């Protein structure tokens, strides 16, 4: 057994013990604990929990790799994912918190006074969260697979068992405090390697200020090797694809059920706004570092691995080749590894970087623990979203309105275990790279929830037939475009499957508006309640006037 294995395993086990300990200590005893953590989470900690919920395996493991392989075109991921947070914080989070509901389907069902709308929203939540969780479980498989030097599929199954256990046990209350711990682990694990690489390459510990020089040197290396330049825009896709992907990720962020639920765990509207502000700061730390990560890794690979004799490659390449995520083949037969002969899956760049940069066993172990924290925290949040959609919105609000608290908690826990196992089975043979699968979940959210919530909060004339037809049309258009683009090679203006949300959202908004205007307006009471959502808590809207609540 080598030192690396022992150090990595110890770090992962210590952090797991910490998460499970926190989940047990904060065990959910009531339904409000299970769904909204008793609504008592302070904004700064909620910001950290949102950060961990948000920065999934796709952000931690996949994003820097995506930028490394796509160059400039990969920036759409960073701009879309961060920009969406501003939309959510200003346009939806405080208003949804003021509504005082537990879940997104519950808000939609009550706002439009329709059981049908509630059930469709619950089904959409389950589809979106399920798609997203496949990406997370596939990510945990990459990490555990490399750590135990087993196939990524075995790693995925180990991740399934862990997530099912602690999400079912702690509910939202346990998960909130586990996510705070996971955020701290993942951000330290992400920043230390990039700071050390910056020191190694530029003698300056601030990667955000130094990686521009490395990007310039990469340009020279690209020209030398005659490959398309790293920072040349739109070399991997059209300008329309860049904009469509950015819109899909922004609108998807504002409609993601498992993130919106986090804003329900604070006590007031003001606290919801502050949670969003803190979350943006905590998320920015990772997102501003990803381009530096990508540039440094690409630079070290081009200098130290490409151009080397194939029989003298660094030792780390062998262990990654075993996971099936790295391919090294001397196709030209000259005994030298050319840049074009190195095939790297973008899901391993962050995981392999500490080894590529030779940062020592402790940091390699720390990154493995951080990546697991990222995959587990998001998967936990997603499983709570799936469980609350089924147990709260379908089972309790529609099927069995007089079921007891204990009964609802049991149904919630059974749903979590079932959903985790099903997602794990799909993740054994994932239909795409982690960032790609996650982009589909965002496309589905932007085609269904984004139009329903934006119009539901900001347009009092939106009614039940409008929102039902809007969500169904948005879902069908988005799914149809993803399948047509991925499997049928069909694209409009070069927009591929990851940008499908732009068509789904447009179709849903148009359908919602047209159907709402052609059918009966909602009752005056509902219209007044919608207007009331827009005022701060100390004000309310009554009888056509704004009142100050004393």
């Amino acid at each position: 057994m080598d030192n690396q294995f022992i150090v990595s395993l110890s770090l992962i086990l210590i952090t797991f013990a910490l998460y499970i300990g926190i989940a047990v200590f904060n065990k959910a005893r009531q339904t409000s604990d299970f769904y909204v953590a008793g609504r008592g989470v302070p904004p700064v900690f909620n910001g950290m929990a949102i950060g961990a919920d948000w920065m999934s395996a796709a952000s931690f493991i996949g994003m820097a790799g995506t930028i490394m392989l796509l160059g400039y075109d990969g920036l759409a991921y960073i701009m879309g994912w961060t920009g969406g947070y501003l939309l959510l914080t200003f346009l939806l989070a405080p208003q949804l918190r003021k509504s005082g509901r537990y879940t997104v389907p519950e808000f939609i069902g009550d706002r439009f006074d329709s059981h049908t709308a509630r059930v469709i929203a619950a089904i959409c939540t389950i589809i979106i969260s399920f798609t997203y969780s496949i990406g997370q479980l596939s990510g945990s498989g990459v990490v555990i697979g490399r750590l135990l030097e087993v196939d990524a599929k075995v790693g995925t199954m180990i991740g399934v068992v862990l997530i099912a256990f602690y999400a079912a046990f702690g509910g939202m209350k346990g998960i909130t405090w586990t996510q705070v711990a996971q955020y701290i682990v993942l951000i330290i694990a992400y920043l230390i390697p990039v700071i050390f690489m910056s020191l190694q390459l530029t003698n300056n510990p601030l990667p955000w200020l130094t990686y521009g020089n490395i990007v310039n040197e990469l340009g020279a290396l690209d020209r030398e090797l005659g490959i398309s330049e790293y920072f040349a825009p739109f070399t991997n896709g059209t300008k329309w694809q860049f904009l469509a992907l950015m819109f899909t990720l922004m609108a998807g962020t504002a409609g993601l059920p498992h993130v919106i639920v986090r804003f329900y765990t604070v006590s007031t509207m003001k606290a919801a706004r502050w949670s969003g502000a803190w979350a943006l700061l905590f998320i920015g730390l990772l997102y501003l570092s990803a381009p530096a990560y990508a540039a440094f890794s690409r630079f070290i690979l081009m200098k130290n691995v490409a151009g080397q004799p194939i029989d003298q490659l660094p030792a780390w390449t062998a262990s990654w080749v075993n996971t099936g995520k790295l391919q090294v083949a001397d196709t030209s037969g000259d005994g030298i590894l050319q840049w074009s002969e190195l095939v790297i899956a973008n899901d391993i760049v962050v995981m392999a970087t500490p080894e590529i940069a030779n940062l020592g066993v402790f940091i390699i172990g720390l990154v493995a623990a951080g990546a697991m924290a990222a995959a587990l925290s998001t998967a936990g949040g997603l499983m709570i979203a799936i469980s609350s959609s089924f147990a709260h919105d379908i089972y309790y609000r529609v099927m069995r309105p007089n079921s007891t608290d204990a009964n609802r908690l049991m149904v919630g826990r059974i749903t979590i275990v079932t959903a985790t196992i099903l997602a794990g089975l799909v993740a054994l043979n994932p239909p795409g790279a982690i960032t790609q699968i996650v982009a589909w979940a965002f496309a589905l959210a932007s085609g269904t929830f984004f139009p329903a919530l934006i119009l539901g909060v900001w347009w009092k004339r939106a009614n039940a037939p409008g929102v039902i037809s809007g969500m169904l049309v948005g879902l069908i258009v988005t799914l149809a475009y993803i399948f047509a683009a991925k499997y049928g090679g069909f694209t409009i203006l070069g927009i591929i499957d990851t940008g499908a949300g732009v068509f789904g959202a447009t179709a849903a908004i148009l359908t919602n508006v047209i159907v709402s205007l052609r059918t009966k307006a909602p009752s005056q009471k509902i219209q007044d309640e919608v207007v009331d959502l827009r005022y701060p808590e100390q004000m309310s809207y009554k009888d056509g006037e704004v009142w100050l609540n004393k």
Side-chain angles (χ1 to χ4, degrees):
M1 256 196 197
D2 61 349
N3 291 347
Q4 180 58 65
F5 174 78
I6 295 164
V7 172
S8 300
L9 190 64
S10 312
L11 278 166
I12 285 186
L13 289 176
I14 290 165
T15 51
F16 278 176
L18 174 73
Y19 308 149
I20 288 171
I22 292 172
V24 171
F25 182 74
N26 289 294
K27 183 172 189 280
R29 289 181 170 78
Q30 303 163 329
T31 34
S32 77
D33 284 348
F34 194 81
Y35 294 128
V36 288
R39 296 205 201 275
V41 182
V44 63
F45 291 115
N46 198 37
M48 277 189 194
I50 291 170
D53 212 347
W54 177 238
M55 288 183 298
S56 57
S59 296
F60 190 99
I61 302 174
M63 190 166 61
T66 301
I67 297 170
M68 187 183 103
L69 296 176
L70 293 182
Y72 183 96
D73 296 357
L75 293 178
Y77 281 96
I78 290 192
M79 283 145 66
W81 275 334
T82 347
Y85 246 95
L86 294 170
L87 276 182
L88 181 58
T89 305
F90 292 115
L91 291 181
L92 289 174
Q95 292 77 8
L96 292 173
R97 172 63 194 87
K98 190 176 180 185
S99 75
R101 305 296 188 269
Y102 276 173
T103 64
V104 176
E106 185 174 32
F107 170 79
I108 288 177
D110 292 355
R111 153 67 180 89
F112 295 101
D113 193 19
S114 157
H115 268 334
T116 314
R118 186 192 321 279
V119 172
I120 292 171
I123 292 167
C124 289
T125 300
I126 293 168
I127 294 173
I128 293 163
S129 304
F130 189 79
T131 309
Y132 203 150
S133 60
I134 294 168
Q136 304 317 306
L137 290 165
S138 155
S140 65
V142 172
V143 184
I144 299 173
R146 167 64 189 92
L147 174 71
L148 304 177
E149 296 200 3
V150 291
D151 191 284
K153 293 187 164 98
V154 181
T156 302
M157 290 323 288
I158 298 172
V160 166
V161 174
L162 275 161
I163 290 161
F165 172 78
Y166 86 82
F169 199 73
M172 186 55 110
K173 189 176 178 188
I175 277 186
T176 297
W177 295 106
T178 325
Q179 282 174 338
V180 170
Q182 283 162 335
Y183 174 76
I184 294 167
V185 170
L186 80 87
I187 202 68
I188 291 172
Y190 202 83
L191 293 181
I192 286 179
V194 80
I195 288 168
F196 273 110
M197 277 195 294
S198 184
L199 267 172
Q200 266 185 12
L201 296 173
T202 63
N203 295 325
N204 180 329
L206 299 173
W208 311 280
L209 302 179
T210 60
Y211 82 92
N213 306 336
I214 296 291
V215 169
N216 288 335
E217 291 187 45
L218 278 173
L221 280 170
D222 288 342
R223 286 190 289 278
E224 215 175 285
L225 291 168
I227 51 183
S228 74
E229 283 200 37
Y230 180 56
F231 46 79
F234 318 126
T235 48
N236 289 291
T238 63
K239 189 183 294 183
W240 292 110
Q241 161 60 15
F242 187 88
L243 292 170
L245 175 60
M246 202 162 75
F247 171 83
T248 298
L249 298 177
M250 282 176 83
T253 301
L256 267 191
H258 77 286
V259 174
I260 292 174
V261 163
R262 288 242 54 97
F263 289 98
Y264 292 153
T265 61
V266 291
S267 50
T268 61
M269 234 175 140
K270 186 179 174 186
R273 278 203 183 88
W274 273 107
S275 296
W278 281 112
L280 207 55
L281 171 75
F282 294 134
I283 290 165
L285 280 174
L286 187 142
Y287 276 42
L288 291 171
S289 313
Y293 232 116
F296 292 157
S297 301
R298 186 177 169 109
F299 183 74
I300 294 171
L301 279 170
M302 288 179 104
K303 294 287 272 190
N304 301 354
V305 180
Q308 299 297 316
I310 232 144
D311 51 6
Q312 290 173 28
L313 291 180
W316 63 266
T317 50
S319 44
W320 276 108
V321 168
N322 294 343
T323 63
K325 295 279 182 184
L326 175 70
Q327 290 162 20
V328 177
D330 183 15
T331 42
S332 59
D334 60 359
I336 302 287
L337 180 68
Q338 309 298 336
W339 176 248
S340 56
E341 294 170 340
L342 189 65
V343 182
I344 293 192
N346 53 4
D347 297 344
I348 71 164
V349 171
V350 168
M351 293 299 303
T353 292
E355 296 172 76
I356 295 170
N358 204 8
L359 296 177
V361 289
F362 180 77
I363 291 183
I364 297 170
L366 186 65
V367 170
M372 279 310 294
L376 289 174
S377 58
T378 305
L382 290 165
M383 291 308 154
I384 289 287
I386 290 176
S387 141
S388 55
S389 289
F390 181 76
H392 185 73
D393 297 309
I394 296 178
Y395 179 77
Y396 169 61
R397 294 294 301 263
V398 180
M399 288 156 60
R400 299 275 304 276
N402 31 11
S403 56
T404 62
D405 250 20
N407 188 261
R408 285 156 61 197
L409 279 177
M410 188 187 72
V411 173
R413 289 188 165 122
I414 292 169
T415 312
I416 285 181
V417 174
T418 317
T420 317
I421 292 169
L422 287 174
L425 291 172
V426 180
L428 288 179
N429 192 6
I434 298 175
T435 26
Q436 187 183 21
I437 299 171
V438 169
W440 297 339
F442 280 77
L444 291 167
S446 57
T448 52
F449 285 138
F450 176 69
L453 293 171
I454 286 285
L455 293 172
V457 169
W458 295 103
W459 189 42
K460 62 182 183 179
R461 182 67 179 73
N463 63 12
V467 80
I468 291 166
S469 45
M471 282 193 293
L472 289 174
V473 167
L475 182 66
I476 292 163
V477 169
T478 311
L479 279 174
Y481 195 87
I482 290 174
F483 278 104
K486 182 160 169 62
Y487 301 109
F490 169 81
T491 58
I492 297 171
L493 296 171
I495 296 171
I496 56 168
D497 52 334
T498 48
V502 72
F503 300 108
T506 309
I509 289 171
L510 286 173
T511 308
N512 195 328
V513 171
I514 293 165
V515 175
S516 290
L517 290 173
R518 298 296 296 272
T519 47
K520 195 166 151 269
S523 69
Q524 195 55 47
K525 177 174 170 285
I526 287 184
Q527 294 197 39
D528 286 351
E529 279 172 9
V530 173
V531 177
D532 187 46
L533 287 179
R534 303 170 200 169
Y535 293 97
E537 263 151 338
Q538 58 273 30
M539 294 181 178
S540 59
Y541 182 82
K542 297 173 195 158
D543 311 320
E545 293 176 6
V546 178
W547 293 58
L548 196 61
N549 301 328
K550 290 288 190 220

